[in-house]
Amino acid sequence: MKIISVVGARPQFIKAAPVCRSLRERHEEILVHSGQHYDYDMSDVFFEQLGIPKPDYNLAVGSGSHGRQTGEMLALLEELFIERQPDAVLVYGDTNTTLAGGLAAAKANIPVAHVEAGLRSFNRSMPEELNRVVVDHLSDLLLCPTDAACENLAREGVSRGVHLVGDVMLDTARFFGERCDAQEVLARFGVSRDGYYLATVHRASNSDDPRALGDIIDAFSRLDAPVIWAVHPRTRKNIESFGLGERLAEATNVRLVPPASYIDMIGLLKGTKALLTDSGGMQKEAYFLRVPCVTLREETEWVETVELGWNRLAGTDPEAILAAVESSTPPAGHPDVYGDGHAAEAIVRVLEGELGEVGSHG
Ligand code: UD1
């Protein structure tokens, strides 16, 4: 098979790493980086650490409005797909890169395979939710991480091409988690095990809203231990432009650090009292590592983490955040709701089974 994989944003590098490895054992993969994320610590460091092959193409679209960013990718990807004629295009998750890749392939009559299909927050004001819904309805192969994802698709009348494969982020966490020396990471960050909270904030609804961002800073400042906040470039810019820098400076227990590499993030997660985040992927990574999570949103796609008691939805109200942190003791049960850590191999098997002739392109 000849597969084009399209990635572009940080979580997609983490998801693609195990799939690239499995795919390339028997097939040809052409890797395309849209350039949605371009800073060293948002992109290159993941390729280096996770051993992802150098992209064959980098579209270098960079930042912009949703329309411009997605539109530029769409035009470039269409050209590339038509020229390279793959057996399928593989897209990941829910970013603008996912949408552009899925739409360009579907319009060129090339089968679309969507990794992390079926996720829903049921909040259409999230750009990611729109991307998910559109891409799922364009996809020929829907590679679902959980039962809940398959059920979401069934409710929308999508049943053909749906496969439960498990979560590729678990593959990555298992593979690299074992290689991560948490003690070394904690020493480098100057923190001790269970002596700090770990935080990330990048969702548009939080980082682009001065009130939400201010409330989050207030909540962090009232926590009973240092907060290591690995800050997304978008959030850092907005802290300054909303005039929240002073409020943050007064929050002496809050320490801003640059976006963390994968290994550093896993190390910091292993040692933290609890994670505070609005990231989807990190809610799961916390679960994989048995770390309590407080989610700075009103809803989540990863409903299992909440149902099993490992994750609390707190939104951005400081009182709610503090109450959630206080009540976040790890429960006893920890079932394998995200599969067995071999989702990438399952994805390759589905592609082989569904796309026919194995190895026709080398
Ligand atoms: C994107 C995804 C989100 C994903 C997140 C992971 C969409 C709609 N959103 O959000 O689902 O969870 O990536 O991080 O696709 N910027 C930089 N350097 C970079 C990248 C971004 O400075 O390398 C800044 C720019 O100011 C840019 C802003 O961050 O305008 C937003 O970047 P963008 O890629 O549009 O969305 P994310 O917030 O990263």
Side-chain angles (χ1 to χ4, degrees):
M1 293 186 294
K2 175 163 76 174
I3 304 291
I4 294 189
S5 301
V6 185
V7 295
R10 182 169 57 174
Q12 288 160 343
F13 311 141
I14 296 165
K15 291 166 197 168
V19 182
C20 286
R21 219 171 22 248
S22 287
L23 201 52
R24 286 171 190 235
E25 281 173 14
R26 292 192 292 277
H27 304 286
E28 181 188 354
E29 183 191 41
I30 299 166
L31 187 61
V32 182
H33 189 321
S34 69
Q36 178 171 352
H37 285 174
Y38 44 85
D39 287 347
Y40 175 81
D41 48 15
M42 295 290 286
S43 177
D44 306 55
V45 69
F46 293 91
F47 282 78
E48 288 168 18
Q49 281 193 345
L50 305 180
I52 306 168
K54 196 173 159 351
D56 299 281
Y57 298 88
N58 191 323
L59 310 181
V61 297
S63 301
S65 70
H66 286 270
R68 211 168 67 83
Q69 192 180 52
T70 312
E72 272 179 36
M73 290 181 210
L74 195 56
L76 294 166
L77 287 170
E78 177 182 63
E79 224 170 275
L80 202 155
F81 294 165
I82 290 171
E83 188 197 322
R84 301 300 306 259
Q85 286 297 322
D87 295 311
V89 167
L90 202 51
V91 294
Y92 293 85
D94 56 17
T95 73
N96 292 340
T97 297
T98 319
L99 175 62
L103 189 52
K107 290 252 178 170
N109 287 320
I110 296 167
V112 180
H114 183 203
V115 178
E116 215 177 71
L119 273 291
R120 294 291 181 268
S121 66
F122 303 101
N123 174 359
R124 291 261 173 132
S125 71
M126 275 180 90
E128 293 85 357
E129 182 75 354
L130 301 177
N131 293 342
R132 290 180 197 121
V133 171
V134 173
V135 172
D136 280 341
H137 285 260
L138 291 172
S139 292
D140 300 278
L141 294 177
L142 298 107
L143 306 160
C144 298
T146 58
D147 287 322
C150 297
E151 285 159 19
N152 288 337
L153 292 174
R155 267 197 300 274
E156 292 175 20
V158 179
S159 56
R160 265 191 65 200
V162 176
H163 298 266
L164 177 64
V165 291
D167 197 306
V168 283
M169 288 188 76
L170 179 58
D171 298 23
T172 308
R174 289 253 169 98
F175 191 84
F176 292 97
E178 286 161 16
R179 290 162 177 76
C180 167
D181 178 355
Q183 246 176 334
E184 183 277 325
V185 176
L186 300 200
R188 202 154 22 83
F189 279 83
V191 286
S192 53
R193 190 171 284 275
D194 289 329
Y196 65 97
Y197 296 101
L198 178 64
T200 75
V201 178
H202 77 274
R203 263 318 134 201
S205 57
N206 287 337
S207 60
D208 293 354
D209 176 354
R211 193 172 150 182
L213 202 49
D215 280 351
I216 289 171
I217 293 172
D218 274 357
F220 288 178
S221 74
R222 290 165 57 192
L223 286 170
D224 60 347
V227 179
I228 302 293
W229 183 354
V231 74
H232 188 289
R234 154 193 219 137
T235 313
R236 186 182 281 276
K237 280 178 206 159
N238 286 345
I239 289 172
E240 292 313 317
S241 61
F242 297 156
L244 292 168
E246 219 170 291
R247 219 141 119 198
L248 190 62
E250 283 163 14
T252 50
N253 67 322
V254 180
R255 178 144 67 89
L256 254 57
V257 299
S261 70
Y262 186 75
I263 298 282
D264 282 0
M265 197 51 108
I266 293 292
L268 286 169
L269 259 174
K270 282 184 176 174
T272 189
K273 280 160 82 80
L275 169 72
L276 295 100
T277 191
D278 59 8
S279 154
M282 289 198 62
Q283 293 171 49
K284 279 182 296 173
E285 283 166 345
Y287 183 77
F288 302 156
L289 297 169
R290 298 172 190 256
V291 171
C293 179
V294 172
T295 294
L296 308 171
R297 289 174 50 197
E298 302 291 345
E299 77 282 309
T300 181
E301 303 76 32
W302 305 105
V303 288
E304 312 77 20
T305 58
V306 175
E307 285 159 6
L308 293 165
W310 287 87
N311 187 6
R312 283 168 177 66
L313 298 176
T316 57
D317 172 47
E319 301 305 329
I321 294 173
L322 293 170
V325 170
E326 256 170 48
S327 64
S328 63
T329 39
H334 189 272
D336 284 340
V337 284
Y338 296 109
D340 60 2
H342 294 280
E345 286 118 288
I347 287 171
V348 174
R349 280 197 302 273
V350 169
L351 293 173
E352 290 174 349
E354 297 272 347
L355 298 173
E357 216 186 326
V358 173
S360 61
H361 288 272

